[in-house]
Amino acid sequence: MLNFKVDTDKCIKCGECAQDCLYGIIGMDDYPFIHEEKEEKCIGCQHCLAVCKTGALSILGKDPANSASIKGGLPAPNQMETLILSRRSIRRYKKEGVDPELIHHMLHVVDHAPTAVNQRQNRLTVIDNPESMDKLREQATAAALKVIREGNLPKGLERTADFLKGCEDGKDIIFRNAPHLLVASAPKDALAPMADCHIAMSYFELLANSHGLGTVWDGIAKAVLTMIAPELLELIGIPEDHTVVCVMAFGKPAVKYHRAVQHSDQDIHRAVI
C-alpha cells in the first residue's frame, strides 16, 4: 500500500528512517523495511524520504530525486528576521493583478505547511482574476450597505459597522481595492481547522512578502462573507461543510515602507521547573 522501496546500492544502513518514523512503522533488518501490521498507521509525512542522506528510500511512489534540495537554499537568520520585522499590513494596492502563475506557484509551496497529523484537510480558495474580484467587491459592498441601511446588522458587528459605513462614500473598506483574495477554510469536523488554516495563511503571507507583494489579514471581509452575505461563499466555491477561518487580501502594493516599526517587548516568562 505504501509502495516502500529501498535502493540497496545507495542505502548505508544508518537507520535514520526507522528512528525518525513517528509511529515506528519502519524497522531495520539488513535494510529498512515496513512492519506490515503497522502499515495502516502511516500518515504520509515522508519524513523517512526526507531524512535519508543518500536518497535511497522511496515511499508512496515518490522519487527522492524530485524533492527540492535543502542545502544552500535556506535564508540567513538576519534575512528571515528582516522579513518578519518589516512585514506591514497593506491597505493600498495597485490596480494591476499578479501573474496567476506566480500565485499558483506560491500556493503550491504553501501546500507544504504543517497540519494536524498531516491530514491536510484545509483548503485555500483564491481569486486570481481582478475582474472576478471586482464582481465580488461590488456584491459584498452592496450586501453590507443594505443591512446597515435596514438596521439588520448581525449582533457583534457593531464596531465593524463603523468601518463599513465608509463604503457609502465609494471607498472599498472591505477589500481595500486589492486585486486578489485568499480564503482559508477547513471541514467543520477537521482535527485542528483553526490552527491548520492560520499556519497556512501565515506561510502565504511571508512568501508573498518575499516576492514583493502586499497582504492584509482581512477580518472585515471575513465578517461580511460569513455573517452578512454567506451566499457569496458559495459563489467563490467554499464547500458547505467548511468553516471559513481567515481571509487575506493581496496584490502589488501602492505604498513602500522604508524601515521596520519598534514594538516594546511583550512579557516573555522563562519557565523554571
Side-chain angles (χ1 to χ4, degrees):
M1 181 177 67
L2 299 182
N3 198 11
F4 183 83
K5 297 180 181 179
V6 176
D7 186 334
T8 56
D9 291 332
K10 292 182 179 180
C11 180
I12 58 176
K13 307 178 184 179
C14 65
E16 281 291 293
C17 55
Q19 293 184 54
D20 211 46
C21 182
L22 177 62
Y23 289 102
I25 295 168
I26 301 175
M28 285 297 296
D29 195 353
D30 196 12
Y31 292 99
F33 70 95
I34 294 289
H35 290 288
E36 292 185 6
E37 69 277 12
K38 298 180 180 180
E39 186 174 9
E40 62 181 17
K41 294 183 178 180
C42 178
I43 62 173
C45 67
Q46 302 180 45
H47 274 233
C48 53
L49 179 145
V51 80
C52 182
K53 183 176 182 179
T54 61
L57 188 153
S58 172
I59 192 168
L60 301 173
K62 308 297 183 182
D63 184 347
N66 294 330
S67 293
S69 175
I70 297 175
K71 186 176 181 180
L74 297 177
N78 66 307
Q79 293 175 315
M80 198 67 210
E81 289 175 11
T82 300
L83 179 61
I84 294 173
L85 291 173
S86 62
R87 184 218 66 84
R88 296 281 84 203
S89 294
I90 301 299
R91 296 181 177 87
R92 295 158 56 195
Y93 292 92
K94 295 180 180 179
K95 292 184 178 180
E96 59 185 291
V98 178
D99 184 350
E101 289 189 11
L102 174 58
I103 294 175
H104 289 274
H105 170 73
M106 290 191 297
L107 292 176
H108 171 73
V109 174
V110 170
D111 190 45
H112 290 70
T115 62
V117 199
N118 198 42
Q119 289 190 347
R120 302 176 70 238
Q121 291 181 285
N122 56 308
R123 174 172 177 153
L124 295 178
T125 301
V126 64
I127 297 180
D128 61 6
N129 184 301
E131 288 73 26
S132 297
M133 187 66 208
D134 285 340
K135 293 179 182 178
L136 177 65
R137 195 184 331 271
E138 180 181 350
Q139 295 183 50
T141 300
L145 290 177
K146 184 174 185 292
V147 297
I148 291 176
R149 290 165 181 163
E150 296 177 351
N152 294 324
L153 192 73
K155 186 177 180 180
L157 293 185
E158 291 79 12
R159 181 173 179 273
T160 301
D162 292 336
F163 287 100
L164 291 175
K165 288 177 181 177
C167 294
E168 295 177 341
D169 299 325
K171 297 179 181 178
D172 179 16
I173 303 299
I174 302 174
F175 305 107
R176 299 293 177 177
N177 291 310
H180 305 290
L181 195 73
L182 189 62
V183 179
S185 65
K188 297 175 182 178
D189 61 353
L191 187 60
M194 300 294 287
D196 290 350
C197 288
H198 279 115
I199 291 171
M201 198 69 94
S202 295
Y203 271 45
F204 178 84
E205 178 183 41
L206 291 177
L207 183 58
N209 275 253
S210 75
H211 281 281
L213 301 178
T215 60
V216 61
W217 292 81
D218 205 334
I220 294 179
K222 179 189 174 184
V224 171
L225 293 175
T226 59
M227 300 178 69
I228 294 178
E231 67 276 6
L232 295 180
L233 293 177
E234 180 180 358
L235 178 67
I236 61 179
I238 306 298
E240 288 186 13
D241 64 339
H242 273 222
T243 295
V244 172
V245 176
C246 45
V247 176
M248 181 171 286
F250 69 97
K252 296 180 180 180
V255 56
K256 182 178 178 63
Y257 294 98
H258 302 280
R259 61 191 59 81
V261 300
Q262 303 174 40
H263 288 309
S264 57
D265 291 337
Q266 295 184 6
D267 289 339
I268 300 175
H269 298 277
R270 179 176 179 268
V272 179
I273 301 176

